[in-house]
Amino acid sequence: MKRKDRMSFGAVRVRFAPSPTGYLHVGGARTALFNWVLARQAGGAVVLRVEDTDRSRHVEDSVGKILDDLRWLGLDWDEGPDVGGDHGPYFQSHRLDLYTGHVQRLLDSGDAYYALETPEELAALRGDAKERKGVLKYQRPDPLPTVEQGLAARADGRLITVRFKMPERDIVVHDEVLGEVRIPREELEDFVIQKNDGGPTYHFACVVDDELMNITHVLRGQEHLMNTPKHVAMQEALGFKTPVYVHLPLIFNMDGSKMGKRDKEKAIKAGLEPPEIDVHDFRAAGYLPEALLNFISLLGWSPGDDREQMDLAETINRFTVSRVGAANAKFDRDKLVAFNTDWAARVDAERSLEALRDFAHVSGSPLAGADDKTLAHLLRACAGMRTFRDVENKSAFLFVEDDSIAYDEKAVRKVLAKNEGAGFAMLDTLLSTLRDLDSWEADLIDGALKAICESRDLKLGAVAQPLRVAVTGTTVSPPIQDTLVLLGRERTLKRIEIAGKQKAPA
RNA sequence: GCCCCCAUCGUCUAGCGGCCUAGGAUAUCAGGUUCUCAUCCUGAAGACACGGGUUCGAGUCCCGUUGGGGGUGCCA
């Protein structure tokens, strides 16, 4: 309803155009977010278009995964493969006839021509150029192959391409953040618009679709800046409108390298935890989409004041293309963790539970087997968590058998055995106290433990820590009374008894 | 190589010629709170890449240098 209110004619139309080669990258998510925000604030439409023109790079089920992660982020779309729309189909691989028709138009108007070189010939030329420490610049054949020659070659079974004839002038790109960017004619060459398998190249499909889908604003990574003159030239030749271009600064690792799959492979090879790169990685690592979105929204954009913590609604309210920066950014994971910590403390219990469930499901955590009551309690007991991974770590004790707890050697030594077994002795006291408790509630347990402290003039740590090590095997768990309530009286007592036997390690 | 883009604390950024002895966040360091971990609180330290201009006045405008990035595919 709200969207309708702000509806204006000639509304903004943006697109997400993922290529199905894997999961959704954080950089792609930032691009999607900015596009989405722009459309939503203008009451416009978001189109989801799958750019699958390169079959060789296609990854099975990639589309499903990308859409799923987009949904997890809370970004939706008005037209797309799953929801349909008036400008479909939304897979480029289903739009081949459209591209062929437009290639023909350019061929007819003389703005494109058949190019007869084979990939091998071009590769050889590139090799030569490289030896002369240069790069190949495609030289337009003179005279141009005629249409007859092209057709004859094709009839002959030869695989040939179609190239766009670049106009003989500089091209000026108007970018909302970079201003006017002039690319000298000498830098532009005739590029392929139709591959030798008859399919369109990215550039061509993109230009045709943006026109046919009525896209008004294109927000994309700065790596596309040098593609834009090609697009603009084609738009002119085809009589298409040129959308508003916004080239977003790029996002890198802290060391300035590219954030890519390679980082994961490298880390695994080195025996380290792979870093999160794709949206799905962050999801499985226990981040809230609210936090991730908030964090990446501030990469290359700022609301202009000291405000940082913003939800999607506020981002929609405050976003302006004019405040998008031009300088590349580095992805600071520490700051993301800090954002997540704040968000985790802020979202309500219901939302938190829902998000925890998603985390458990996606990450294959043992938490997935727990009931809502347990999870809700865990969430309360883990207040102050950084990510859901903290909840998982702190609740691991719940998911091991009582008799197969791995007692941390150091913990046993420091907390139980030290001071002539003071901790072990405490366990005996605890065993009887807890066994005789009227009921198994947090307050009662807390009171009982404090009573022990008072009567013996001890700090709570002297009681809670031995107990914690006894029932979890480690020194880290939720607050002790929560740990015990979660575990239940029976298992607690059993574990204390078992822990007593750690006195004389075999 | 050539073309294009960029340049404020370690990092994300505010700053759009005087309001800047440059603000916030995060990270770091030092204290404090706490039954563990985490959270939380207080404080400290920390930047206009360099060189020329323009101007009464420059972090803010111009040029150059250096540095970083992108592009240079029948990938997207």
Side-chain angles (χ1 to χ4, degrees):
Chain A
M1 187 166 65
K2 200 184 268 171
R3 230 187 274 168
K4 277 267 162 59
D5 292 344
R6 299 158 111 185
M7 182 63 127
S8 59
F9 292 103
V12 169
R13 285 176 61 85
V14 303
R15 35 85 161 177
F16 304 158
S19 198
T21 55
Y23 281 101
L24 177 66
H25 188 270
V26 273
R30 202 266 319 251
T31 302
L33 170 66
F34 285 8
N35 275 285
W36 184 88
V37 167
L38 187 73
R40 291 299 174 245
Q41 76 177 187
V46 177
V47 177
L48 179 37
R49 176 175 82 218
V50 179
E51 308 222 322
D52 56 349
T53 51
D54 184 3
R55 294 189 317 247
S56 68
R57 294 217 311 161
H58 188 273
V59 173
E60 187 60 29
D61 200 33
S62 174
V63 174
K65 288 169 174 165
I66 291 170
L67 299 200
D68 190 46
D69 288 336
L70 242 14
R71 284 191 205 98
W72 175 73
L73 285 172
L75 304 182
D76 58 355
W77 47 95
D78 307 291
E79 298 175 29
D82 55 334
V83 295
D86 296 337
H87 308 268
Y90 295 94
F91 283 96
Q92 289 188 326
S93 59
H94 297 171
R95 301 170 62 82
L96 266 18
D97 289 347
L98 256 16
Y99 308 129
T100 310
H102 283 89
V103 167
Q104 192 58 50
R105 271 186 55 192
L106 289 177
L107 246 13
D108 292 345
S109 66
D111 289 306
Y113 58 90
Y114 290 107
L116 278 11
E117 302 83 2
T118 63
E120 293 72 29
E121 285 165 352
L122 288 171
L125 288 171
R126 282 203 182 88
D128 293 347
K130 195 167 187 184
E131 264 173 46
R132 285 178 279 111
K133 54 189 167 118
V135 291
L136 174 67
K137 260 206 62 206
Y138 183 80
Q139 294 302 317
R140 181 180 299 169
D142 184 24
L144 245 32
T146 61
V147 172
E148 290 69 29
Q149 285 173 310
L151 263 18
R154 276 205 174 156
D156 219 30
R158 281 175 58 194
L159 300 175
I160 61 170
T161 62
V162 174
R163 281 182 190 259
F164 179 72
K165 212 158 111 193
M166 258 308 201
E168 297 297 331
R169 55 189 160 75
D170 297 355
I171 305 278
V172 176
V173 171
H174 300 270
D175 182 272
E176 292 297 306
V177 348
L178 269 13
E180 291 200 348
V181 180
R182 172 178 294 269
I183 290 83
R185 168 61 183 104
E186 314 81 71
E187 297 304 317
L188 274 5
E189 58 181 25
D190 294 349
F191 55 94
V192 174
I193 58 176
Q194 186 178 58
K195 305 183 207 178
N196 67 15
D197 64 1
T201 56
Y202 156 74
H203 302 294
F204 193 69
C206 174
V207 164
V208 171
D209 288 346
D210 283 347
E211 170 73 13
L212 265 31
M213 294 178 174
N214 247 305
I215 301 304
T216 59
H217 298 254
V218 173
L219 282 68
R220 46 156 56 150
Q222 238 174 57
E223 75 265 22
H224 285 290
L225 183 60
M226 288 300 119
N227 292 154
T228 312
K230 299 178 186 176
H231 299 181
V232 169
M234 287 189 284
Q235 285 153 0
E236 285 178 21
L238 286 160
F240 290 171
K241 293 181 296 298
T242 291
V244 174
Y245 284 108
V246 182
H247 288 94
L248 308 171
L250 271 17
I251 303 173
F252 296 95
N253 287 316
M254 285 300 273
D255 65 2
S257 63
K258 256 183 223 184
M259 277 180 90
K261 292 193 231 308
R262 302 286 292 275
D263 298 316
K264 290 197 229 175
E265 290 157 11
K266 238 194 289 173
I268 289 168
K269 207 176 269 180
L272 301 167
E273 274 286 299
E276 299 86 6
I277 303 292
D278 297 318
V279 168
H280 200 265
D281 301 329
F282 293 96
R283 185 177 177 183
Y287 289 89
L288 285 164
E290 289 91 336
L292 182 60
L293 235 24
N294 188 180
F295 177 72
I296 62 179
S297 78
L298 262 13
L299 259 25
W301 174 75
S302 128
D305 54 21
D306 291 339
R307 199 73 203 290
E308 285 204 322
Q309 307 276 330
M310 290 171 287
D311 62 14
L312 230 27
E314 188 171 1
T315 304
I316 291 172
N317 272 330
R318 310 193 57 169
F319 185 81
T320 341
V321 168
S322 67
R323 294 204 59 87
V324 172
N328 294 339
K330 289 177 182 163
F331 195 98
D332 186 350
R333 290 189 161 69
D334 289 334
K335 186 156 179 173
L336 204 215
V337 170
F339 266 54
N340 203 76
T341 305
D342 289 339
W343 272 96
R346 185 151 26 139
V347 296
D348 63 45
E350 196 183 341
R351 168 64 193 134
S352 190
L353 180 60
E354 175 192 38
L356 177 62
R357 278 229 164 279
D358 178 80
F359 161 73
H361 172 72
V362 163
S363 67
S365 163
L367 251 15
D371 58 33
D372 281 354
K373 193 181 160 226
T374 303
L375 291 183
H377 189 175
L378 237 18
L379 248 13
R380 267 179 275 124
C382 292
M385 69 172 123
R386 292 182 326 331
T387 65
F388 286 137
R389 190 95 91 185
D390 291 346
V391 178
E392 181 181 61
N393 291 150
K394 275 193 187 178
S395 59
F397 73 94
L398 275 177
F399 306 103
V400 291
E401 294 300 325
D402 297 334
D403 51 12
S404 53
I405 295 173
Y407 284 94
D408 178 57
E409 223 179 283
K410 228 171 94 185
V412 171
R413 213 182 320 124
K414 263 189 79 174
V415 180
L416 293 175
K418 219 170 75 177
N419 296 332
E420 287 147 20
F424 280 118
M426 178 58 68
L427 253 31
D428 294 333
T429 308
L430 254 9
L431 197 56
S432 58
T433 304
L434 293 173
R435 187 186 287 131
D436 297 341
L437 226 49
D438 289 341
S439 72
W440 202 246
E441 286 162 34
D443 289 353
L444 271 177
I445 294 169
D446 190 46
L449 298 187
K450 285 191 173 134
I452 294 176
C453 291
E454 250 172 68
S455 69
R456 309 195 177 187
D457 195 27
L458 290 170
K459 304 265 269 179
L460 190 50
V463 178
Q465 278 306 77
L467 187 48
R468 174 171 281 118
V469 173
V471 301
T472 71
T474 73
T475 53
V476 177
S477 87
I480 196 64
Q481 66 274 28
D482 291 300
T483 299
L484 297 199
V485 169
L486 251 1
L487 201 52
R489 168 138 48 186
E490 200 185 323
R491 297 179 78 188
T492 297
L493 298 178
K494 194 167 166 198
R495 288 181 180 203
I496 294 175
E497 280 172 5
I498 292 170
K501 295 177 188 147
Q502 300 295 313
K503 220 179 289 189

